[in-house]
Amino acid sequence: MTDGILTPDQILSAAQDVLRRYGPAKATVVDVARALGVSHGSVYRHFPSKTALREAVTQRWLDQAHAELATVLASDAPAGVRLREWLGALFRSKRKRALDDPELFATYVSLVTESSQVVEGHVADLVGQIRQIVDAGLARGEFAAPDPAATARAVFDAAVRFHNPAHAAEWSRPGIEDDFTALCDLILLGLEVR
Amino acid sequence: MTDGILTPDQILSAAQDVLRRYGPAKATVVDVARALGVSHGSVYRHFPSKTALREAVTQRWLDQAHAELATVLASDAPAGVRLREWLGALFRSKRKRALDDPELFATYVSLVTESSQVVEGHVADLVGQIRQIVDAGLARGEFAAPDPAATARAVFDAAVRFHNPAHAAEWSRPGIEDDFTALCDLILLGLEVR
C-alpha cells in the first residue's frame, strides 16, 4: 500500500485488528504500520502519538456503538416514547457488542477505562442526549423536572445496570428484559406529568 | 485456646484476619486453625467445609454492612423519607467500607462474587427490604405502584451506582452526593402520589 491513499479510517481499522490480535497491553504503532504495509511515520502523520491513536480508535468504537441513538433523538415521537427507545437502543447496542464479540468488547472496555478523558467525554455526550429529550418533554408539557440537568444525570445513573460494561455479565440473564422494562416504567413515572 | 470455648464468631473473626493477611486465593482452613491455636478439626466441627466457612464469613460481613438498614426499616416515618434514608444508609455503609479499608473491601467483593448463592440471597434480601417500604407506602396511600415486586427491583437497579462495588471507584468523586440526591429525587417522583 502506498502512503498516498492511507486514510485515518484505514489506520483505525488496522489498529482495531492489531488490538484484537495482540491485546491492548502489547499492541504498538509499529504493529499497526506493519499490518498496513507502511512505515510507522505514515501512521504518526495522522495520529501524533500512540495515545492519540488509541483514543481515536476507542472514540470510533463508541461512536459506532451509539450510531442508532441519533435516529431516536431525531424522532418526533412523544418524549416518553423517545426516552424509552433511547435507553433501549443504548442497552441493546452495548449488549450486542458484549455478547457477539466478548474479546473485542473487553479490549475496548479496557481502552475506554485507561483514558479518563474519553470516559468523561462519552458520559457527557450521553447525558447531553438525555437532556435533549428531557428538554423536549418539558417544552411539550409532557415532562415535569425542576432541575433538568440533574434529572438527565439521574436518568443516566438510574439506567447504569443497562449500559455500563461493569454489568455486562448480567445482560444475558433470564429476566433482564423485565428488569429493564420495570426500570423504564419507574423513570418515566418520575418524569411524566400526570 | 481450648476447643471448648471456641465460638463460631471467634472462628469468623480469625478467618477474616487470615483472609486479609493471605488473600482469598491462598487462605486455608489450616491457616484459620493455626491463628486460633486449635486443630483444623475444631474449625470443621463448626463449618463443614472451606466453602461453608468462606460463605459464613462473607455473610457476616454483609450482615454487618447492612445492620443500620434494619433501623431505617423499623422507623415510622413516611415511606418516601424511609426509602431515601434506606438508600442513603446502604450507600454510606458501602462507601465507608470501601474507603476505610480498601483491601478488606476488595477481599470481600471477590468472596461475594465467587458464590452466586451468596450474591442472590443478598440481592433478594435487599430487594425484599425495599419491597417492605414500597408496600408500606402503598398501604398508607403515599405511593402508587402498579406492580410492587417489579417496582422494588427497579428501585434497587436504579440505585446500583450507589451500592454495587463495581462502582466503588466513583464513590469518592466530587459531585457524587449531588448525583445521589438527584437519583433519589427521580425515584421518589416515580413512586409518590401527586
Side-chain angles (χ1 to χ4, degrees):
Chain A
M1 177 182 286
T2 65
D3 286 18
I5 59 158
L6 191 64
T7 66
D9 206 58
Q10 284 172 320
I11 296 173
L12 295 175
S13 293
Q16 174 167 307
D17 292 343
V18 164
L19 281 165
R20 184 202 296 271
R21 211 177 318 144
Y22 301 108
K26 289 188 182 162
T28 67
V29 172
V30 171
D31 295 327
V32 176
R34 192 177 298 131
L36 288 162
V38 301
S39 70
H40 62 273
S42 308
V43 175
Y44 282 124
R45 205 167 301 143
H46 291 276
F47 300 97
S49 67
K50 180 176 164 179
T51 302
L53 177 57
R54 288 164 87 102
E55 289 189 356
V57 73
T58 308
Q59 194 58 57
R60 189 181 72 150
W61 184 76
L62 289 171
D63 291 346
Q64 286 170 349
H66 302 144
E68 206 198 321
L69 300 179
T71 316
V72 179
L73 263 194
S75 122
D76 200 41
V81 173
R82 276 163 71 203
L83 186 56
R84 197 184 278 273
E85 280 179 1
W86 189 92
L87 292 169
L90 182 60
F91 176 36
R92 282 191 304 276
S93 162
K94 286 275 173 80
R95 181 172 56 181
K96 184 169 167 22
R97 276 153 195 267
L99 301 183
D100 285 1
D101 195 340
E103 265 183 51
L104 190 66
F105 187 75
T107 296
Y108 274 110
V109 167
S110 121
L111 280 174
V112 170
T113 314
E114 95 186 11
S115 166
S116 64
Q117 212 176 323
V118 171
V119 173
E120 279 164 30
H122 173 55
V123 170
D125 174 32
L126 293 176
V127 172
Q129 294 192 30
I130 298 173
R131 175 74 193 269
Q132 281 185 51
I133 303 177
V134 169
D135 283 345
L138 292 170
R140 293 163 65 145
E142 294 164 8
F143 285 175
D147 181 344
T151 298
R153 174 73 214 199
V155 170
F156 181 77
D157 281 350
V160 76
R161 185 179 177 218
F162 304 97
H163 60 68
N164 191 307
H167 299 279
E170 305 165 38
W171 296 343
S172 49
R173 285 196 198 151
I176 190 78
E177 282 288 343
D178 292 342
D179 288 352
F180 177 69
T181 302
L183 180 84
C184 289
D185 290 346
L186 180 66
I187 290 174
L188 288 169
L189 279 171
L191 284 171
E192 287 175 340
V193 170
R194 274 176 269 175
Chain B
M1 179 182 285
T2 65
D3 286 18
I5 57 156
L6 192 63
T7 66
D9 206 59
Q10 285 173 319
I11 296 173
L12 294 175
S13 293
Q16 174 166 306
D17 291 342
V18 165
L19 281 166
R20 185 202 296 270
R21 211 176 318 144
Y22 301 108
K26 290 189 182 160
T28 68
V29 173
V30 172
D31 294 328
V32 176
R34 192 177 298 131
L36 288 161
V38 302
S39 69
H40 62 273
S42 309
V43 175
Y44 282 123
R45 206 168 300 142
H46 291 277
F47 300 97
S49 66
K50 180 176 164 179
T51 303
L53 177 57
R54 287 164 89 101
E55 288 189 356
V57 72
T58 308
Q59 193 59 57
R60 189 181 71 149
W61 184 75
L62 288 171
D63 292 346
Q64 286 170 348
H66 302 144
E68 205 198 322
L69 300 178
T71 315
V72 179
L73 264 194
S75 123
D76 200 40
V81 173
R82 276 164 71 204
L83 187 56
R84 197 184 278 272
E85 281 178 0
W86 188 92
L87 291 169
L90 182 61
F91 176 36
R92 282 190 305 274
S93 162
K94 285 275 172 79
R95 182 173 55 183
K96 184 171 166 24
R97 276 152 196 269
L99 300 183
D100 285 0
D101 194 340
E103 265 183 49
L104 190 66
F105 187 75
T107 297
Y108 274 111
V109 168
S110 121
L111 280 173
V112 170
T113 314
E114 96 186 9
S115 166
S116 64
Q117 214 176 319
V118 171
V119 173
E120 280 164 28
H122 172 55
V123 170
D125 174 32
L126 294 176
V127 172
Q129 293 192 30
I130 297 173
R131 175 73 193 271
Q132 280 185 52
I133 303 176
V134 169
D135 284 345
L138 292 169
R140 293 163 66 145
E142 295 163 7
F143 285 174
D147 181 344
T151 298
R153 174 76 214 198
V155 169
F156 180 77
D157 281 349
V160 75
R161 186 178 178 219
F162 304 97
H163 60 67
N164 189 307
H167 299 280
E170 304 165 37
W171 296 343
S172 48
R173 285 194 199 152
I176 190 78
E177 282 289 341
D178 291 342
D179 288 353
F180 177 70
T181 301
L183 182 84
C184 289
D185 290 346
L186 180 66
I187 290 173
L188 288 169
L189 278 172
L191 285 171
E192 287 176 339
V193 169
R194 273 175 271 176

